[in-house]
Amino acid sequence: MVVLKNKTLAALKKRRQDAQMALDDRMEELYYDQEFKAAYTAERELEIAFVRFQAKGGDDKIVSELEAAKKVTDGILAKKGYKRSDLSVKPFCSVCGDTGVVNGRACDCVEGIEKEIIFGERVITAKSTFFDDNERNFDNIKVIKSAKKWCEEFGTGADVKVNYLICGHTGVGKSFLTDCMVNALTEKGVNVVYLTAYELSRMLLDDLNERGNTLVDGLCRVKVLVIDDLGKEPIYNKVSLEGLYCLLNERAVKGLSTVVNTNLEPDGILARYGESILARLANTRTTHVVKLKGNDKRLKI
């Protein structure tokens, strides 16, 4: 955990450095324009005079002169396609200013940095959105609308069911729906990790081989974990089932959301993973258990 903390602090420092370098580059480009250089220099001199005016008192016409100078600068910026805000550092995270701390607590952006450090390229990049939906099956439309509403209300406490189990045979749109959910949640600023069941299985094995739990510990902290295609991954003896149970159970205890899609029906989940894992995946008190229907959309019949 110390290593992760140090890497996170280094990433935050790099963000601050990159933001400052970007500002330096913008200002260098702007100063090539002599009109801007003259106007902005005059504005800064008036700002200094204004500070003196506030401290010692004096002719208050300096206030109107400063406002007029700012309008001149803004006009030149607009012609060049810039705004007043471009004259300041633009942090990656506007909430914490890339410090990683807000009101003495870790900023939400830290979760995203840790996710990148821990998981790297293991995480799937979601491509589809709810706007791409062209579903025709009435029952499936209801499932998709319900999932969209769940994403929109996520974090508000409007829905006591914090998880989703999406069942259905191959090609009915399970991965598409989870893709849409990932994008919708990410747009809200929710920290989401989206993995295939195969990659998750590999991560459980890697943690065991490396005699550590860095990867799984990270999965136990993210707000939403999405597992794609559960049931097609290899089962490693004394690793996969135990690891999956511990992960699901830990997330359930913490009240974190888990979204899973699978070709298996509940009976199939029971046969492959056992009763304990089925109970964590399909608990109807905490989980929306839904099924997508229809023919394989990837096949032309």
Side-chain angles (χ1 to χ4, degrees):
M1 297 303 290
V2 174
V3 173
L4 176 60
K5 181 180 179 180
N6 289 338
K7 287 183 177 181
T8 301
L9 291 174
L12 287 165
K13 180 179 179 180
K14 186 176 186 305
R15 283 185 173 184
R16 294 193 296 272
Q17 292 173 337
D18 289 347
Q20 183 60 55
M21 289 175 62
L23 173 61
D24 293 344
D25 289 343
R26 287 196 302 275
M27 296 306 296
E28 183 178 357
E29 178 186 344
L30 285 167
Y31 269 112
Y32 275 120
D33 186 315
Q34 294 303 310
E35 183 184 18
F36 170 82
K37 183 177 181 179
Y40 192 54
T41 300
E43 178 187 321
R44 297 304 298 272
E45 290 174 350
L46 284 167
E47 284 182 339
I48 294 171
F50 177 69
V51 172
R52 290 173 180 163
F53 162 73
Q54 286 184 311
K56 299 180 180 180
D59 188 354
D60 62 3
K61 73 176 184 179
I62 191 69
V63 177
S64 58
E65 289 178 356
L66 178 57
E67 289 302 316
K70 286 184 175 180
K71 288 181 180 179
V72 172
T73 303
D74 289 343
I76 297 169
L77 285 170
K79 287 191 296 183
K80 296 179 68 62
Y82 287 99
K83 298 177 291 186
R84 170 68 56 172
S85 59
D86 292 315
L87 302 180
S88 303
V89 172
K90 293 183 176 181
F92 185 91
C93 177
S94 60
V95 178
C96 71
D98 296 335
T99 64
V101 180
V102 179
N103 297 324
R105 301 182 64 181
C107 180
D108 288 344
C109 74
V110 172
E111 291 183 340
I113 295 172
E114 290 181 345
K115 180 175 75 173
E116 182 62 29
I117 292 170
I118 295 171
F119 306 115
E121 295 181 356
R122 293 175 182 265
V123 179
I124 298 171
T125 300
K127 299 178 178 63
S128 303
T129 71
F130 285 109
F131 296 106
D132 301 324
D133 178 39
N134 59 1
E135 181 61 61
R136 297 289 183 269
N137 183 289
F138 179 74
D139 291 328
N140 290 355
I141 290 173
K142 289 198 297 183
V143 169
I144 293 169
K145 284 185 176 179
S146 177
K148 182 173 183 289
K149 182 180 178 184
W150 183 83
C151 292
E152 291 170 347
E153 295 178 346
F154 186 86
T156 66
D159 193 338
V160 296
K161 295 187 178 183
V162 298
N163 306 313
Y164 251 88
L165 176 63
I166 305 166
C167 303
H169 62 71
T170 301
V172 293
K174 301 183 303 298
S175 293
F176 169 79
L177 179 54
T178 48
D179 242 29
C180 294
M181 295 173 76
V182 169
N183 267 324
L185 292 168
T186 302
E187 281 291 312
K188 285 172 61 70
V190 178
N191 187 22
V192 183
V193 168
Y194 185 15
L195 300 166
T196 63
Y198 174 82
E199 190 57 66
L200 173 59
S201 188
R202 291 295 306 173
M203 288 169 66
L204 293 169
L205 186 61
D206 288 347
D207 264 4
L208 179 67
N209 291 337
E210 294 171 10
R211 298 181 182 276
N213 294 303
T214 303
L215 295 169
V216 177
D217 282 348
L219 293 178
C220 288
R221 295 203 306 273
V222 294
K223 284 188 174 64
V224 181
L225 172 62
V226 180
I227 305 172
D228 182 51
D229 234 357
L230 187 75
K232 292 189 175 180
E233 77 285 2
I235 297 292
Y236 299 109
N237 188 37
K238 295 185 178 180
V239 176
S240 299
L241 299 185
E242 293 86 342
L244 180 59
Y245 170 79
C246 289
L247 174 62
L248 294 173
N249 188 62
E250 183 73 10
R251 292 185 60 79
V253 168
K254 292 180 177 179
L256 298 171
S257 297
T258 305
V259 177
V260 177
N261 76 57
T262 177
N263 286 358
L264 301 173
E265 299 285 343
D267 285 348
I269 296 174
L270 176 62
R272 181 176 172 86
Y273 299 102
E275 186 175 351
S276 295
I277 289 179
L278 175 64
R280 299 304 181 280
L281 287 173
N283 182 341
T284 54
R285 290 187 297 105
T286 58
T287 304
H288 289 280
V289 181
V290 300
K291 182 177 181 179
L292 293 176
K293 306 172 183 178
N295 298 319
D296 189 335
K297 295 179 175 65
R298 293 172 290 192
L299 297 178
K300 294 182 179 179
I301 301 176

